[in-house]
Amino acid sequence: MWKIVLVIAALAAWLLFNRPDQLPSRVLAVAGSKDTIMKVGQVGGACPSQRCLTIYVAPWCPSCRAMEPTINALGHQLEAEGMTVRLVVGSDTMSAVREYARKFDRRVLLDPDGAYFNESGLRGVPYFAVTDADGRILEARYGGRTTVAGMREFLDL
């Protein structure tokens, strides 16, 4: 019995402390506000500003849908302050991902097959990561708040 407890404790510790210190870099298709794929964009890796906020959401996620207005408002506020915001919609069919991307008033990176989600070792959505200029994760959180002020506090921004 103690061996089972030890294995469970080791697994829990590994999940808790074995977080990546950097998001992997990947080039993804970019959806424009008119649902057309315009070009490609990079997610992860080096940040063109001092800090970046990477947000990963999925069309099937009720929490993500509830946070749409907050994500849009937070993105505008942070970009006005000079922070780069990268929004990734993924882990669903291409048509669902494109349709959901239209809900956001910014360029959206598309990850329909969830390859970036899996490569990043993410375990759920919505996911928010604040990274520095070198791409190191400073703050990472699952879930969120439904107000901009709440999200800023949640992400220590």
Side-chain angles (χ1 to χ4, degrees):
M1 181 66 170
W2 65 271
K3 288 181 183 179
I4 293 172
V5 171
L6 184 60
V7 168
I8 291 171
L11 180 60
W14 181 81
L15 287 173
L16 184 63
F17 297 108
N18 190 28
R19 290 191 256 172
D21 63 344
Q22 209 164 351
L23 288 174
S25 179
R26 181 177 275 238
V27 173
L28 299 174
V30 175
S33 60
K34 302 289 185 214
D35 191 37
T36 58
I37 295 180
M38 302 170 0
K39 54 186 174 181
V40 294
Q42 181 179 335
V43 64
C47 177
S49 55
Q50 281 191 337
R51 292 186 303 169
C52 279
L53 173 62
T54 301
I55 305 166
Y56 196 106
V57 294
W60 48 262
C61 168
S63 296
C64 301
R65 289 198 176 269
M67 293 184 64
E68 289 165 16
T70 304
I71 290 170
N72 280 324
L74 177 66
H76 288 298
Q77 196 175 91
L78 294 176
E79 286 172 346
E81 295 171 11
M83 189 173 194
T84 301
V85 178
R86 298 169 173 161
L87 177 60
V88 182
V89 174
S91 299
D92 208 327
T93 65
M94 180 57 95
S95 61
V97 166
R98 281 188 181 172
E99 179 69 28
Y100 189 51
R102 284 194 217 145
K103 303 282 185 183
F104 300 96
D105 57 0
R106 66 187 52 260
R107 69 182 223 142
V108 176
L109 298 160
L110 306 177
D111 184 34
D113 60 2
Y116 184 74
F117 181 89
N118 293 328
E119 182 182 350
S120 301
L122 302 182
R123 298 185 304 257
V125 290
Y127 173 77
F128 299 85
V130 178
T131 56
D132 67 11
D134 295 324
R136 285 187 298 272
I137 296 173
L138 304 172
E139 197 72 47
R141 298 271 189 263
Y142 291 95
R145 306 291 186 267
T146 56
T147 66
V148 172
M151 279 304 301
R152 290 186 77 112
E153 184 178 329
F154 183 63
L155 296 170
D156 196 25
L157 295 172

